[in-house]
Amino acid sequence: MPMFTKKEITDILKDNTQNTELFRLADRIRQENVGDEIHLRGLIEFSNICHCTCKYCGLRVANKNIERYRLAPDDIILCAKNAVNAGYKTIVLQSGEDIFYSKDIMCKIISEIKNLDVALTLSIGERSFKDYKAFKAAGADRYLLRIETTDTNLYKKMHPNMDFKNRLNCLYNLKELGYETGCGSLIGLPDQTLESIACDILFFKELNADMIGIGPFIAHPDTPLIGTKNGDFTLALKAMAITRIMLKNINIPATTAMETLKPNGRTIALQSGANVIMPNVTTKECRKKYEIYPGKATPDEDVREYRNSLEEKIKSIGRMVSKGHGFRGQ
Ligand code: 5AD
């Protein structure tokens, strides 16, 4: 099976004459390595408060045009119970980098949710080795932390006051602690090159990431990137397909950003290498307020209704919803 070089990946990204073949190959490799089952991960966006300054993100601390919220631990646990009752086997807890959720508070939430017999993923940003270790001991199974871009100059431009090295460190700490580790990048950031996207994919391979989320950048009007061009759906899809071909048995979500940029984008992604969907199971009032980018495709239905409608969609493309926890390679 192909193990592409930087030059080869860049050439594939550049050339649009063989996209259909690329997507078909990624779909075949998906089927051979992880089968036809789709894993549904119930996503709880429990706080949109964030001290970071990422230039592309609507949750950035400088954005005053957003109504902030923070769910109480008991309410987070209620959301999780609701999702488990609707059939979810994985809960993903995601938030801005909100220091209210101390190590001890997080550990309490984690152990309560783990009592529900689910796999638990965290996506709460950069924390100390000590915190990551405590979360793991409390029962967390997986952790998502996108590198966003491996181009260190672009990283610096996009993340004032943040440190690329620390992000790398966090990723290697998560791996060392035994988390299933998720990474990924944004496609279409201003001044991003195809070469740097190729390097992102090679980095995923080097890290031996267990999950990769790739989504197009969508310009948010309340950020410094207002008025810049959105990322390209097809380019994001190609980066995802190459990632599938190179990392084979990992879990790859059809991202919400893909669905937001293109109607049916998520279904197209599922047919081009993806095998995971992360439906929003946060209480309805909060879903809209977690506005990382504008127009985010969020469900209007309640948790159970939405899951049922997704199941129908999944069946209609000849796939089925997994009943397992969906660890890597399962
Ligand atoms: N467009 C698309 N994706 C975004 N993210 C943050 N801001 C945007 C945006 N404007 C992604 C980042 C982050 C994930 C939770 O959301 O990659 O890791």
Side-chain angles (χ1 to χ4, degrees):
M1 258 313 123
M3 200 38 58
F4 303 125
T5 62
K6 179 178 168 187
K7 165 93 174 49
E8 286 165 337
I9 300 172
T10 311
D11 286 346
I12 298 170
L13 292 173
K14 222 178 262 169
D15 170 26
N16 279 317
T17 63
Q18 295 181 67
N19 289 355
T20 310
E21 289 78 4
L22 175 71
F23 298 141
R24 230 176 253 155
L25 177 63
D27 195 45
R28 202 188 84 209
I29 292 190
R30 183 272 307 155
Q31 187 178 40
E32 285 169 4
N33 286 276
V34 296
D36 282 334
E37 290 192 338
I38 291 173
H39 303 290
L40 299 181
R41 324 286 205 195
L43 175 65
I44 304 175
E45 295 162 337
F46 64 90
S47 164
N48 68 358
I49 296 173
C50 190
H51 61 76
C52 295
T53 50
C54 312
K55 281 208 177 137
Y56 44 79
C57 183
L59 307 192
R60 66 199 310 273
V61 62
N63 182 11
K64 304 287 179 237
N65 240 338
I66 178 174
E67 193 184 325
R68 303 282 176 174
Y69 71 90
R70 172 186 279 154
L71 291 187
D74 283 348
D75 291 331
I76 300 173
I77 293 157
L78 265 181
C79 279
K81 283 188 177 152
N82 197 16
V84 171
N85 287 337
Y88 285 96
K89 303 288 182 213
T90 291
I91 298 296
V92 183
L93 296 182
Q94 186 176 94
S95 69
E97 294 204 6
D98 181 351
I99 52 164
F100 168 82
Y101 301 93
S102 63
K103 170 167 71 59
D104 292 346
I105 291 180
M106 276 317 297
C107 285
K108 209 170 155 285
I109 299 169
I110 293 165
S111 51
E112 292 260 352
I113 293 180
K114 282 302 286 184
N115 283 335
L116 305 173
D117 187 30
V118 282
L120 181 59
T121 307
L122 299 178
S123 176
I124 60 174
E126 296 178 20
R127 295 272 189 145
S128 65
F129 184 85
K130 202 169 130 209
D131 282 13
Y132 285 157
K133 193 170 175 192
F135 300 157
K136 188 82 184 44
D141 302 286
R142 312 185 185 125
Y143 206 104
L144 309 177
L145 186 71
R146 290 186 180 173
I147 193 75
E148 314 295 1
T149 174
T150 53
D151 173 340
T152 49
N153 284 327
L154 183 60
Y155 190 91
K156 219 185 221 154
K157 260 196 265 172
M158 290 294 127
H159 307 95
N161 312 321
M162 283 171 74
D163 181 4
F164 182 75
K165 280 209 194 89
N166 192 52
R167 203 152 187 94
L168 280 184
N169 234 339
C170 285
L171 283 165
Y172 284 109
N173 285 344
L174 291 164
K175 267 280 176 193
E176 186 187 327
L177 286 163
Y179 282 93
E180 280 208 337
T181 304
C183 196
S185 51
L186 278 167
I187 302 296
L189 288 169
D191 297 330
Q192 186 181 37
T193 62
L194 296 183
E195 283 77 9
S196 85
I197 297 173
C199 289
D200 294 351
I201 299 171
L202 290 169
F203 170 70
F204 304 153
K205 180 80 192 164
E206 184 191 309
L207 176 70
N208 187 19
D210 303 291
M211 304 169 280
I212 290 294
I214 290 175
F217 157 67
I218 301 171
H220 194 304
D222 299 316
T223 67
L225 299 186
I226 175 176
T228 54
K229 231 174 97 214
N230 286 340
D232 181 65
F233 174 81
T234 304
L235 184 60
L237 199 67
K238 288 174 75 178
M240 187 201 81
I242 298 168
T243 302
R244 165 63 73 200
I245 293 165
M246 288 184 59
L247 280 86
K248 299 189 176 63
N249 72 347
I250 64 166
N251 284 315
I252 298 185
T255 55
T256 308
M258 286 188 177
E259 181 80 8
T260 303
L261 215 54
K262 191 176 176 93
N264 240 11
R266 205 160 46 184
T267 309
I268 297 169
L270 290 173
Q271 296 172 311
S272 312
N275 70 320
V276 170
I277 303 179
M278 296 168 66
N280 198 312
V281 298
T282 322
T283 44
K284 269 196 203 169
E285 313 83 72
C286 295
R287 285 179 206 166
K288 291 276 175 221
K289 293 184 198 156
Y290 199 83
E291 206 198 42
I292 295 179
Y293 46 81
K296 199 177 85 173
T298 44
D300 290 321
E301 298 100 320
D302 77 21
V303 170
R304 192 181 290 271
E305 279 167 6
Y306 188 58
R307 189 181 159 105
N308 290 343
S309 73
L310 272 179
E311 285 215 41
E312 288 310 310
K313 241 191 190 163
I314 287 167
K315 279 188 205 142
S316 77
I317 57 166
R319 308 272 281 277
M320 61 285 238
V321 174
S322 162
K323 293 189 167 62
H325 286 171
F327 285 91
R328 179 178 185 175
Q330 275 186 340

